[in-house]
Amino acid sequence: EVQLVESGGGLVQPGGSLRLSCAASGFTFDDYAIGWFRQAPGKEREGVSCISISDGSTYYGDSVKGRFTVSSDNAKNTVYLQMNSLKPEDTAVYYCAADLLRGGSYYYPFRCAPKGYDYWGQGTQVTVSS
């Protein structure tokens, strides 16, 4: 059974930091990209950051470049999102998701858009407020 479990959300003051974790199981970790997405009330879900597990390629949304860092610990099948200099507009439910990049000898394009990601976690709330 495929599972993605997020943790690490919470309440933080503006300028503070949080580290989110996404623990994956039930699939071949190296064959996938793991993405972080967020959704604020009344807004569409957007891509925050994604990482290709096999080669380490990364993507960052414009609003988080220079503040967020995505990384993976392949031994633990876990992806992290380090979030620094948090702003109130970062407040949202954060989800991690998995997208197949390698199927046998076929390679799919690396992308960071919610559509097409196959498996999703339950989400973790991040609230940035004083």
Side-chain angles (χ1 to χ4, degrees):
E1 178 187 5
V2 172
Q3 281 196 319
L4 295 166
V5 180
E6 303 98 335
S7 60
L11 173 64
V12 63
Q13 292 187 341
S17 298
L18 282 175
R19 188 177 81 156
L20 305 183
S21 299
C22 173
S25 61
F27 58 93
T28 304
F29 196 58
D30 289 356
D31 287 345
Y32 281 74
I34 302 294
W36 286 99
F37 302 89
R38 67 186 181 187
Q39 189 164 21
K43 294 189 176 181
E44 291 187 355
R45 193 168 295 189
E46 64 170 338
V48 175
S49 181
C50 299
I51 183 168
S52 167
I53 300 303
S54 61
D55 67 9
S57 298
T58 57
Y59 165 89
Y60 294 94
D62 289 342
S63 62
V64 306
K65 283 179 182 176
R67 300 188 298 123
F68 291 10
T69 302
V70 65
S71 62
S72 68
D73 183 337
N74 293 4
K76 296 182 178 179
N77 282 14
T78 299
V79 170
Y80 304 99
L81 184 68
Q82 178 67 42
M83 306 187 295
N84 298 329
S85 302
L86 282 161
K87 305 174 181 180
E89 51 264 43
D90 294 318
T91 296
V93 177
Y94 283 70
Y95 301 88
C96 70
D99 184 29
L100 180 66
L101 291 187
R102 185 169 59 195
S105 59
Y106 189 84
Y107 289 81
Y108 298 91
F110 175 49
R111 55 193 172 180
C112 198
K115 186 177 180 180
Y117 270 67
D118 305 302
Y119 306 109
W120 290 82
Q122 81 287 351
T124 186
Q125 176 71 46
V126 171
T127 302
V128 185
S129 174
S130 55

